[in-house]
Amino acid sequence: MTATATLAPSPVMPTVDFERDGVQHGFLRLPYSRDDSAWGSVMTPITVVRNGSGPTALLTGANHGDEYEGAVALFDLARSLTADRVAGRVIIVPAMNYPAFQAGTRTSPIDRGNLNRSFPGRPDGTVTQKIADYFNRVLLPMADLVMDIHSGGKTLDFVPFAAAHILPDKDQEARCFAAVAAFAAPYSMRMLEIDAVGMYDTAAEEQGKIFVTTELGGGGTGRAETIAIAKRGVRNVLRHAGILADGQAVEKAPGRWLDMPSADCFRFAEDSGLIEACVDLGQPVRAGDLLARIHPIGRTGLAPAEYRAALDGILAARHFPGLVKAGDCIAVVGTVED
């Protein structure tokens, strides 16, 4: 018997029927007893749009609660998508980590859980672990295509890109990158994760799914430009998969492919202080170029620490707040593919 088979059933109770045709708006109800509600629940909004047999897309936003492009795009899609435009099934969860989304924080205010580091989860764990377990054991197995829309939240800012990962299964990898290309963001990334343990991405990929993620701006807000990229990209990928049958072609956009070939892409602060950006997002850099300075703030008269690029490429991401702590990621350089 496998470890999965010995787990208790998920305590999450959906108010929608995943096998019913039509459009349903409901909730994933997770019991959560607390001081202000003895028999309370976490009520995560969900929409299911189904029309006969066909592939299933699972679309999620706000895996981190301070990232808004995905939530805006998916609340809009949930409101506007009709069953007659669908061939198969679309499952939409605009705010995957709903407690964090309500609080506007990266992690859950209930248990400080980072949902995107909590997989595979557990049905008898914390609230965040229970959410992860439901996605891992119930929703992911239903899906053929999984799209999780991220941005930089309050602490990072990115050039807008869609991404997938290098995978051992090259056929699966090719299908993932074909979906990334269909998203048609200004940039497409072959992505390297700092820490892939416990990620939703990894859980989906290990189940053999086509998985697409994004980083669309940041700073704890959503800009008109990046929200428009998210809205267009979601529909593009659904068309590419043959699930959105609206008679429209995939909307192409000129874009560039970026790569993260090694850990040399990342620069981490070894000092705390006031950060001075020396390169703006999207600008070209060469190995040795100055990316940022960190000024000491305890007293005047001290020289700043300098941080330089280790690779040629463009500045793909940067630290967003003006103050930085030792250990923070302050810059990411993506190499440009010809």
Side-chain angles (χ1 to χ4, degrees):
M1 183 177 291
T2 66
T4 299
T6 64
L7 291 174
S10 171
V12 175
M13 291 166 277
T15 67
V16 294
D17 180 353
F18 293 103
E19 303 305 319
R20 196 177 87 193
D21 278 358
V23 178
Q24 301 171 74
H25 303 289
F27 300 94
L28 302 175
R29 187 175 73 81
L30 172 59
Y32 169 47
S33 178
R34 55 193 189 271
D35 288 341
D36 66 341
S37 185
W39 287 3
S41 299
V42 174
M43 303 288 283
T44 301
I46 184 171
T47 292
V48 179
V49 183
R50 188 178 186 276
N51 185 15
S53 61
T56 292
L58 173 59
L59 311 178
T60 52
N63 188 324
H64 295 127
D66 60 350
E67 302 174 7
Y68 297 109
E69 282 84 354
V72 173
L74 295 182
F75 273 113
D76 180 73
L77 183 69
R79 175 189 57 80
S80 60
L81 187 61
T82 56
D84 63 316
R85 298 292 182 92
V86 169
R89 179 172 55 183
V90 182
I91 301 171
I92 306 169
V93 185
M96 188 179 180
N97 190 345
Y98 197 61
F101 177 69
Q102 288 180 299
T105 54
R106 180 175 178 84
T107 61
S108 173
I110 296 172
D111 54 25
R112 294 301 168 198
N114 180 340
L115 181 57
N116 210 30
R117 300 295 184 276
S118 298
F119 282 80
R122 40 185 303 151
D124 57 352
T126 65
V127 165
T128 302
Q129 290 172 328
K130 290 172 181 176
I131 294 170
D133 171 71
Y134 185 79
F135 273 83
N136 191 59
R137 290 197 293 150
V138 179
L139 294 183
L140 279 178
M142 295 183 192
D144 301 286
L145 164 69
V146 181
M147 192 184 322
D148 190 33
I149 305 174
H150 285 261
S151 58
K154 294 175 180 176
T155 65
L156 291 169
D157 198 10
F158 291 86
V159 296
F161 64 78
H165 301 100
I166 305 299
L167 300 174
D169 183 331
K170 293 306 174 184
D171 177 67
Q172 180 189 7
E173 177 188 296
R175 289 182 287 125
C176 292
F177 281 120
V180 167
F183 191 96
Y187 295 91
S188 298
M189 179 75 81
R190 302 182 193 278
M191 197 166 185
L192 174 69
E193 298 290 351
I194 298 172
D195 175 18
V197 176
M199 291 186 70
Y200 182 49
D201 314 38
T202 305
E205 290 159 354
E206 288 179 347
Q207 292 190 32
K209 310 303 179 183
I210 299 171
F211 183 82
V212 177
T213 188
T214 70
E215 295 291 355
L216 302 176
T221 189
R223 303 195 311 272
E225 175 195 10
T226 51
I227 289 170
I229 292 167
K231 287 183 176 183
R232 183 188 68 230
V234 168
R235 290 180 178 271
N236 271 349
V237 174
L238 291 176
R239 292 181 187 116
H240 166 77
I243 298 172
L244 178 58
D246 61 356
Q248 298 185 38
V250 172
E251 296 180 45
K252 300 293 185 182
R256 304 172 74 185
W257 278 89
L258 304 176
D259 195 6
M260 298 170 69
S262 72
D264 287 339
C265 295
F266 301 97
R267 291 311 315 265
F268 294 93
E270 298 178 3
D271 309 87
S272 298
L274 175 67
I275 191 165
E276 175 191 353
C278 299
V279 180
D280 284 328
L281 283 176
Q283 288 190 331
V285 298
R286 292 195 173 276
D289 283 357
L290 184 62
L291 297 174
R293 298 185 181 95
I294 297 179
H295 296 266
I297 58 175
R299 58 172 298 162
T300 58
L302 300 178
E306 294 188 340
Y307 292 82
R308 297 181 179 274
L311 299 170
D312 295 349
I314 68 162
L315 186 65
R318 69 178 184 92
H319 184 78
F320 190 79
L323 296 179
V324 65
K325 295 179 181 178
D328 288 348
C329 181
I330 58 172
V332 180
V333 174
T335 62
V336 180
E337 295 188 2
D338 294 330

